[in-house]
Amino acid sequence: EVQLQASGGGLVQAGGSLTLSCATSGFSFDDHTIGWFRQAPGKERELVSYISNYGSIVYADSVKGRFTISSDNANTLYLRMNSLKPEDTAVYYCAASLSGGSIWEAYDYWGQGTLVTVSS
């Protein structure tokens, strides 16, 4: 059974930092793209960043230079978020896909989401 469990969200002031974690099981990072998406109230779900099964990394323009995606040998995915802005406020989801890419509809497996709130 595939499982993804996101954690680490919370309330932070603008300019602060948070690290999200996504514990996974039931599939291999070797043949899946794994990534983070977010959805703000009233907005569509959007890509934040992903790591392809080949190891290439993609970031949304809005987070480049501020966020860092990584993974470890225990099949945990991380998202280090620095210099947070109020517009980063959203529910953050981790996801995995056999086909990969920037489109959320291409992702097969999802975590439950963790809320990040950035106050001004």
Side-chain angles (χ1 to χ4, degrees):
E1 180 185 8
V2 173
Q3 292 187 330
L4 297 94
Q5 180 75 34
S7 61
L11 174 63
V12 63
Q13 288 189 330
S17 298
L18 279 176
T19 298
L20 305 183
S21 299
C22 178
T24 75
S25 62
F27 68 98
S28 172
F29 283 17
D30 291 340
D31 55 18
H32 284 75
T33 292
I34 48 174
W36 292 95
F37 288 77
R38 66 185 181 186
Q39 188 165 17
K43 295 189 176 181
E44 291 190 358
R45 191 168 298 190
E46 64 177 6
L47 173 74
V48 177
S49 180
Y50 69 78
I51 303 174
S52 76
N53 58 318
Y54 297 104
S56 61
I57 292 176
V58 170
Y59 293 100
D61 288 344
S62 59
V63 307
K64 280 180 183 176
R66 300 188 298 122
F67 291 12
T68 302
I69 192 171
S70 63
S71 62
D72 64 18
N73 292 334
N75 281 8
T76 300
L77 181 68
Y78 301 96
L79 185 69
R80 174 66 177 178
M81 305 184 294
N82 295 326
S83 303
L84 282 161
K85 305 175 181 180
E87 51 264 43
D88 294 318
T89 294
V91 177
Y92 284 71
Y93 299 90
C94 53
S97 171
L98 279 171
S99 56
S102 303
I103 307 302
W104 71 265
E105 291 93 336
Y107 284 71
D108 308 290
Y109 308 109
W110 291 85
Q112 85 288 2
T114 184
L115 177 63
V116 173
T117 303
V118 184
S119 63
S120 57

